[in-house]
């Protein structure tokens, strides 16, 4: 059992929601809060951010944080690899049900999709390429189960507990 204190918690996917506490679902919200909090402090620091989940949602939040110069974040993933839905659903015929050009990340476009509705493995490979190119593996704690999330109102900070000592 290991605990870490955080300024912000970002959920990569709404299904990972934790009740009764403020959390971020997008980097623009985090940036507004980060800017406000910096101006409130005599010694501003970059907030520590936990991103729960290494699927598309968590990856995009991490990329947006990088774009805005935030470097103090960690992605926590319970599985041993990235990908979320595109890692877990490998059944025959698994594919995207919307056109591939709409499924690409706007600032990480993929122009060479093999078909209009790309198969699962091609989408997973696209995510893996981005993850590698942007250095997100070193910011991700794979095989890390979150056992507890608690918001400390007095300190305005999250406490995150895991089953590993890797943090």
């Amino acid at each position: 059992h290991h605990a870490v204190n955080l300024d912000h918690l970002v959920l990569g996917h709404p299904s990972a929601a934790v009740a009764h506490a403020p959390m971020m679902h997008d980097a623009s919200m985090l940036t507004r809060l980060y800017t406000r909090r910096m101006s409130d402090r005599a010694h501003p620091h970059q907030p520590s951010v936990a991103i729960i989940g290494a699927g598309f949602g968590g990856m995009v939040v991490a990329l947006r944080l990088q774009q805005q110069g935030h470097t103090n974040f960690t992605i926590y993933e319970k599985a041993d690899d990235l990908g979320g839905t595109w890692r877990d659903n490998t059944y025959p015929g698994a594919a995207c049900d919307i056109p591939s050009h709409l499924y690409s990340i706007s600032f990480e476009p993929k122009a060479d999709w093999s078909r209009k509705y790309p198969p699962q493995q091609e989408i997973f490979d696209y995510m893996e390429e981005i993850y590698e190119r942007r250095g997100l593996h070193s910011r991700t704690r794979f095989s890390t189960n979150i056992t507890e999330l608690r918001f400390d109102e007095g300190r305005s900070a999250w406490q995150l507990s895991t089953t590993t000592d890797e943090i």
Side-chain angles (χ1 to χ4, degrees):
H1 185 79
H2 188 77
V4 65
N5 292 311
L6 306 155
D7 291 316
H8 302 293
L9 175 69
V10 180
L11 302 173
H13 190 276
S15 68
V18 178
H20 310 298
M23 57 190 98
M24 310 305 143
H25 288 286
D26 81 46
S28 63
M29 186 186 316
L30 179 62
T31 301
R32 288 191 300 273
L33 183 57
Y34 168 68
T35 304
R36 193 195 79 222
R37 290 189 83 188
M38 278 188 61
S39 64
D40 292 345
R41 295 179 181 190
H43 299 94
H45 77 283
Q46 205 171 80
S48 56
V49 178
I51 301 169
I52 310 297
F56 255 111
M59 181 176 70
V60 169
V61 169
L63 295 173
R64 287 292 192 197
L65 288 170
Q66 281 183 332
Q67 284 179 332
Q68 296 169 12
H70 299 283
T71 59
N72 194 11
F73 66 87
T74 303
I75 303 167
Y76 295 92
E77 173 57 53
K78 66 182 175 182
D80 62 358
D81 203 357
L82 66 99
T85 295
W86 299 108
R87 174 198 60 238
D88 296 341
N89 293 299
T90 59
Y91 56 87
C96 190
D97 59 355
I98 61 169
S100 54
H101 70 280
L102 296 174
Y103 207 73
S104 295
I105 299 170
S106 63
F107 53 91
E108 285 285 347
K110 178 174 172 56
D112 62 345
W113 290 105
S114 65
R115 51 184 100 154
K116 185 174 183 176
Y117 300 99
Q120 173 271 336
Q121 187 63 53
E122 187 173 4
I123 295 168
F124 181 83
D125 292 346
Y126 167 62
M127 293 178 71
E128 180 71 31
E129 290 168 19
I130 294 168
Y131 226 79
E132 185 69 34
R133 185 172 52 253
R134 294 296 195 98
L136 295 178
H137 283 284
S138 65
R139 299 193 163 280
T140 305
R141 302 290 177 253
F142 292 107
S143 301
T144 302
N145 270 331
I146 306 299
T147 58
E148 182 181 17
L149 296 171
R150 189 175 343 117
F151 189 72
D152 182 337
E153 295 280 341
R155 294 180 38 238
S156 292
W158 284 94
Q159 183 172 11
L160 178 145
S161 299
T162 72
T163 54
T164 67
D165 291 328
E166 297 176 28
I167 300 172

